[in-house]
Amino acid sequence: MQTRFHLCSLDPLKKNKLNSADFLKHQSFKNAHRQRTGAEIMDTSLSILKSSTVLKTASVSQSLVMVGCSISHPPDASTMSMFTHMLAILFGMGSWVSINGLWVELPLIVPQIPEGWYLPSYLSVLIQMANFGPLFVTLMHRFRPGALNETAVIYVIIILGTVASFLLGFFWKETVLVAGVPRSLALLVLTFFLAAVDCTSSVTFLPFMMRLQPQYLTTYFIGEGVSGLLPALVALIQGVGVVHCINTTQSLNHTINTSNSAGNYDLQAQYQPSNFSAEVFFFFLSAMMLVCLVAFLLLNHHPAVVREHPNPCYTNGTNENSQSRRTWAEQRPMMDPFRHQNHKSRSSFGTGSYSWMQVVYIFVILAWVNALSNTVLPSVQSYSCLPYGNNAYHLSATLAAVSNPLACFIAIFVSIRSLVFLGFLTVLGTGIGSYIMLMAALSPCPLLAEDTSGAAVMVLAWIFFILSLSYVKVIIGVILRDEGHSALVWCGAVVQLGSLLGAVTMFPLVSVYGLFSSGDPCNTSCP
């Protein structure tokens, strides 16, 4: 190339001054040079073009690095990693698996502890007291943004949940004297730690999902639903709460008088022995928390997951980076193909896509549906279902648990973000919940108590109640995810606030004033 460049740049006047020998040498070299193949020339041209392109790309990359970001190409939806989806499910499963598991194990625990059936009331109070965790995280994000390392907090609470569940397997039956009365102190203290873990997960797990593609948030909600389904299925296999009605004689001489047989025999409810002990169940819960910990480790460090992080500039909220990067991570959403990128800001919330009236509307719906689905209706589920029989109760509890992840799965393919539609689903779910609450208030003799159709209606009511409100929760989570990291923190805080208000409302109605009565599953007869 240097020789060619030199020959091409020869001045015509100087060429004429060459002597004959030099001229012949020059002509021979020139002719040989002209015989180079076109392929060689093309290769040389492509090499030059490629080098130019590389230099331009390097220049652009260097410019982007200077402003604090690196080039990131979000993967196509068709190439999204199934491995990452599974990790998101396992991570979400650890959010409430401990407390959900404790609730379904109550029929096996209650007969063996001094608190008896007052334990559910104590658990409700402990769970609400544990909301100090979400409150602390929310206040830190509000007044000291960037000072709290979310990743470190998540590691701490998952490890705490794993250890607490494991210790429950050894100490749940242990009692100590408190003011001269035996109390299950170890059970109550460890339950408080589990409640703190699960409540705090609402304001840490969700914001962490900002590190992944938006589609993985819906997968996370599926895992959150599985956290209620999986313990329920294991409890069914264990045989928890299965009641048999047996005949017991009331006659002193244990003789049967055929003319007065109805007076001699009485039906009594007797719980069937479980297939495995409560200790094994608690060890299972601990294993689930350990699986959640492993999934979280892989979400942070596995190369296949790191490649799918849409925003390398995103941080854990610590003040390691500049304030500008932290502001970007807090407020900038993922690109939404259904949103105009040059939209006019309607409020200072998130990206300004929603007015303050719409923001209040979204959060009121979020608090309302979580109050109904997390505390208000679950607190009366036994009153609404047991009058229709044990099968109706177990079916409604299990299928309702299935409805939660099913709603999340539907949201993956059918994601309707219309606020009007969300309002419609909320009204629909509230109406179904009102029917369930009415039947609970009429217990032990609700409508159609002696009819098979009554049990079918109640099971379907629970399915559609959880299905509709779970869909609303998922879509609101997706909407707030696009509004930024802080919006997801407030999402978790409002979820806990709604649950708290529901528990505070229902606790005195159920446990203090006794407005609901369950009746005897074997001897209640309704007109």
Side-chain angles (χ1 to χ4, degrees):
M1 289 297 296
Q2 290 179 352
T3 304
R4 183 185 178 194
F5 178 78
H6 175 69
L7 291 174
C8 293
S9 61
L10 285 175
D11 189 280
L13 295 177
K14 292 182 179 180
K15 186 190 298 184
N16 294 332
K17 295 180 181 180
L18 294 172
N19 55 37
S20 57
D22 292 335
F23 181 77
L24 291 175
K25 292 180 181 179
H26 171 65
Q27 286 295 105
S28 300
F29 185 84
K30 189 174 182 181
N31 292 334
H33 177 70
R34 287 176 178 174
Q35 292 177 0
R36 293 178 61 184
T37 62
E40 292 176 345
I41 298 175
M42 182 63 69
D43 290 341
T44 304
S45 302
L46 289 175
S47 299
I48 296 173
L49 181 60
K50 184 176 180 181
S51 300
S52 175
T53 304
V54 170
L55 289 174
K56 290 180 181 179
T57 304
S59 177
V60 174
S61 300
Q62 184 177 6
S63 301
L64 289 175
V65 171
M66 289 177 64
V67 299
C69 293
S70 60
I71 298 176
S72 176
H73 300 283
D76 194 290
S78 60
T79 61
M80 288 169 56
S81 172
M82 184 60 66
F83 177 69
T84 309
H85 277 296
M86 290 303 302
L87 291 181
I89 291 176
L90 295 177
F91 177 58
M93 185 181 63
S95 58
W96 282 92
V97 69
S98 299
I99 291 299
N100 288 333
L102 194 60
W103 279 110
V104 299
E105 196 71 359
L106 284 180
L108 194 61
I109 296 175
V110 164
Q112 304 182 56
I113 59 174
E115 287 79 9
W117 280 107
Y118 286 104
L119 180 63
S121 300
Y122 296 155
L123 294 184
S124 298
V125 175
L126 289 173
I127 292 172
Q128 303 316 315
M129 289 174 59
N131 276 306
F132 79 90
L135 179 62
F136 171 75
V137 173
T138 305
L139 292 178
M140 286 292 292
H141 278 287
R142 176 64 180 86
F143 297 106
R144 293 288 304 279
L148 190 66
N149 190 323
E150 282 177 355
T151 302
V153 173
I154 293 175
Y155 276 122
V156 169
I157 63 175
I158 294 178
I159 292 173
L160 179 60
T162 304
V163 174
S165 300
F166 185 76
L167 293 178
L168 269 178
F170 294 100
F171 301 109
W172 70 272
K173 287 192 295 186
E174 300 298 324
T175 60
V176 296
L177 291 178
V178 179
V181 179
R183 295 294 181 191
S184 304
L185 186 62
L187 174 64
L188 297 176
V189 170
L190 292 173
T191 299
F192 174 77
F193 284 123
L194 290 179
V197 168
D198 291 357
C199 291
T200 308
S201 71
S202 296
V203 293
T204 52
F205 284 21
L206 272 176
F208 171 80
M209 295 304 295
M210 278 289 295
R211 301 187 65 177
L212 304 178
Q213 293 288 333
Q215 294 84 346
Y216 293 118
L217 182 63
T218 307
T219 311
Y220 165 82
F221 279 116
I222 293 178
E224 199 172 75
V226 172
S227 71
L229 171 63
L230 194 58
L233 293 178
V234 174
L236 283 178
I237 297 173
Q238 186 184 16
V240 171
V242 178
V243 178
H244 292 291
C245 297
I246 61 173
N247 292 325
T248 58
T249 182
Q250 300 297 322
S251 176
L252 293 176
N253 57 8
H254 299 283
T255 59
I256 301 177
N257 186 347
T258 56
S259 63
N260 194 25
S261 59
N264 291 332
Y265 283 88
D266 186 26
L267 292 176
Q268 288 188 356
Q270 186 177 67
Y271 285 101
Q272 176 181 322
S274 60
N275 296 322
F276 53 87
S277 64
E279 288 84 356
V280 175
F281 186 84
F282 287 132
F283 292 147
F284 161 76
L285 296 181
S286 180
M288 291 298 97
M289 292 300 297
L290 190 61
V291 169
C292 174
L293 177 61
V294 173
F296 183 62
L297 280 168
L298 294 176
L299 285 173
N300 276 287
H301 303 293
H302 196 282
V305 181
V306 174
R307 283 196 300 268
E308 297 196 39
H309 286 186
N311 172 27
C313 295
Y314 177 81
T315 65
N316 292 326
T318 60
N319 51 13
E320 298 173 355
N321 299 313
S322 64
Q323 181 66 32
S324 61
R325 289 191 187 184
R326 184 164 61 247
T327 302
W328 193 96
E330 286 286 313
Q331 294 183 355
R332 186 171 180 82
M334 291 301 302
M335 301 294 289
D336 185 356
F338 300 101
R339 176 184 295 161
H340 296 289
Q341 298 303 316
N342 296 324
H343 70 279
K344 183 179 178 181
S345 180
R346 305 174 66 183
S347 69
S348 59
F349 178 80
T351 61
S353 301
Y354 297 95
S355 66
W356 279 114
M357 286 295 295
Q358 291 174 319
V359 171
V360 172
Y361 171 79
I362 289 172
F363 280 122
V364 167
I365 286 182
L366 183 63
W368 176 255
V369 299
N370 278 280
L372 291 182
S373 60
N374 293 349
T375 52
V376 174
L377 270 300
S379 64
V380 297
Q381 185 172 24
S382 60
Y383 299 106
S384 65
C385 298
L386 281 177
Y388 297 101
N390 289 304
N391 289 334
Y393 174 72
H394 286 291
L395 276 176
S396 63
T398 305
L399 295 180
V402 172
S403 300
N404 193 327
L406 177 61
C408 302
F409 186 75
I410 293 174
I412 294 178
F413 303 99
V414 183
S415 180
I416 304 176
R417 301 191 183 191
S418 168
L419 298 184
V420 175
F421 181 71
L422 295 181
F424 167 75
L425 284 184
T426 302
V427 173
L428 176 64
T430 303
I432 299 174
S434 300
Y435 171 80
I436 295 174
M437 182 65 71
L438 177 61
M439 296 303 102
L442 294 177
S443 177
C445 293
L447 300 178
L448 303 174
E450 302 295 331
D451 197 331
T452 306
S453 61
V457 170
M458 181 53 63
V459 172
L460 290 175
W462 271 101
I463 291 174
F464 286 108
F465 168 73
I466 297 296
L467 194 65
S468 58
L469 297 192
S470 295
Y471 185 87
V472 171
K473 289 190 285 185
V474 173
I475 297 301
I476 289 180
V478 172
I479 289 174
L480 295 178
R481 192 252 184 250
D482 284 343
E483 295 305 305
H485 178 271
S486 293
L488 283 182
V489 175
W490 284 107
C491 175
V494 172
V495 166
Q496 291 305 118
L497 177 62
S499 301
L500 171 63
L501 294 177
V504 170
T505 302
M506 294 304 297
F507 178 78
L509 298 180
V510 175
S511 302
V512 178
Y513 299 108
L515 297 184
F516 301 90
S517 58
S518 58
D520 191 326
C522 293
N523 295 306
T524 300
S525 93
C526 297

